[in-house]
Amino acid sequence: MSFILSGVMGWPIAHSLSPRLHGFWLKKYGIEGAYLPLAVKPENLSAAISGLSALGFSGCNITVPHKEAVIPFVDELSARAKRIGAVNTLWFDAAGRLHGDCTDGEGFLADLSAVFPDWKEFKDSVVVIGAGGAARAVLVALHDVGCRNIIVLNRTRERAEVMCSDLGIEAHIAGLDWSGFSPRSLLINTTSLGMKGQPPLTLDLRALSADSLAYDLVYNPAETPFLAASRQQGLATGNGLGMLLHQAVPGFEHWFGVRPEVDDELRAYMKAALPC
Ligand code: ATR
């Protein structure tokens, strides 16, 4: 088999953990290939996408700020990528057509089930915080597995309204000062609040009982102030490192022909690259 090439295209890209992640799997499965950081400025996106096939790439991941801008260059857009309005995984088929998908929601659900095996008990009491690209992927995934009466909290309410109306999802929308939680809720932070260098997400959690669940898409730091406050109240918590690992699985399978496993060894290897 020939040497297989993939990578992650973004700007900036040096901080991306994806080369470490795919590098782990390439080694584990003994695949002759490479997964490279591809630093592409917004004005060079078109040329870079054309260059992928010219350079013999099997495809690549797409990250900030190109996830929406790449859509016009895709020949076959998956239904969910179209609905969410973003692409994070590209691959060429045998005929050379470029496929685009958004695997964030799938990765989110896979990790949610791994971290909270009984999370579906919370199907009708889910609270999503945020209304950006990550929130869209999470909302669509939750809605598609039957979650209803979702509550969306966002600093800018109008943005949440536009998001829900675009996605055709009925939700109760409120600001970050809302505190009318059902005692037993599943809270999911999709915003960048709590990330290293960002202000914390501070919610009034007092209405929640200790058997509620809190999940934060942020994984650096491993425990955000939101997760710390939730844990102090007795809630079970999970961060988004596992989502990062699971969203990468379909891409690796498309490019390298093996469906890779997300296991404890990989989790530990990736955690080692993050500050405590
Ligand atoms: P992504 O694509 O990663 O989700 P995004 O589209 O920039 O990123 O969305 C960022 C989310 O974080 C939004 O929900 C944003 O709230 P607004 O819609 O009100 O902008 C939220 N966010 C970012 N910084 C924030 C802050 N300082 N306070 C409150 N919310 C913030």
Side-chain angles (χ1 to χ4, degrees):
M1 202 200 267
S2 59
F3 195 85
I4 304 170
L5 275 173
S6 185
V8 56
M9 197 179 282
W11 183 265
I13 202 61
H15 64 282
S16 172
L17 289 177
S18 293
R20 180 176 173 93
L21 164 58
H22 288 277
F24 176 94
W25 282 332
L26 286 171
K27 195 165 167 213
K28 173 172 173 175
Y29 297 107
I31 293 168
E32 286 229 42
Y35 181 100
L36 307 168
L38 304 168
V40 173
K41 289 184 183 164
E43 61 268 32
N44 293 331
L45 181 63
S46 168
I49 296 293
S50 310
L52 279 178
S53 78
L55 290 166
F57 274 70
S58 297
C60 68
N61 281 129
I62 297 290
T63 188
V64 178
H66 306 314
K67 284 179 154 191
E68 287 116 45
V70 76
I71 289 177
F73 305 110
V74 172
D75 300 316
E76 304 283 347
L77 192 62
S78 73
R80 61 187 178 183
K82 191 170 184 181
R83 190 154 171 232
I84 295 162
V87 160
N88 73 346
T89 307
L90 295 175
W91 70 97
F92 291 100
D93 64 21
R97 291 182 68 74
L98 186 60
H99 292 249
D101 192 9
C102 179
T103 66
D104 288 334
E106 178 182 339
F108 163 72
L109 285 183
D111 194 49
L112 197 62
S113 300
V115 177
F116 306 133
D118 299 327
W119 79 265
K120 286 202 175 157
E121 289 173 16
F122 295 79
K123 241 166 24 75
D124 296 321
S125 52
V126 179
V127 181
V128 173
I129 299 121
R136 284 176 176 255
V138 163
L139 260 189
V140 166
L142 290 168
H143 194 258
D144 285 354
V145 291
C147 294
R148 294 294 178 267
N149 307 315
I150 299 175
I151 291 161
V152 176
L153 308 182
N154 198 47
R155 171 179 62 181
T156 315
R157 282 184 57 144
E158 305 81 68
R159 197 163 172 219
E161 277 155 15
V162 169
M163 171 180 73
C164 291
S165 130
D166 278 0
L167 297 174
I169 292 177
E170 269 183 48
H172 176 82
I173 295 166
L176 296 178
D177 56 352
W178 185 83
S179 59
F181 299 103
S182 300
R184 201 160 177 263
S185 295
L186 163 60
L187 273 55
I188 301 155
N189 176 38
T190 73
T191 74
S192 48
L193 292 172
M195 201 180 275
K196 213 171 156 227
Q198 298 289 322
L201 169 64
T202 45
L203 297 175
D204 182 351
L205 304 175
R206 284 173 298 180
L208 295 168
S209 60
D211 55 355
S212 292
L213 307 175
Y215 187 92
D216 200 328
L217 266 61
V218 175
Y219 53 80
N220 185 13
E223 188 178 68
T224 59
F226 162 62
L227 290 186
S230 302
R231 181 173 54 77
Q232 276 152 23
Q233 195 155 319
L235 279 67
T237 62
N239 74 27
L241 182 63
M243 174 176 166
L244 173 79
L245 309 185
H246 283 287
Q247 63 77 33
V249 168
F252 190 92
E253 186 175 17
H254 282 301
W255 310 314
F256 301 113
V258 175
R259 189 159 181 90
E261 215 187 330
V262 173
D263 58 13
D264 289 344
E265 193 190 349
L266 174 63
R267 281 178 192 269
Y269 178 73
M270 295 304 292
K271 258 190 209 158
L274 294 168
C276 298

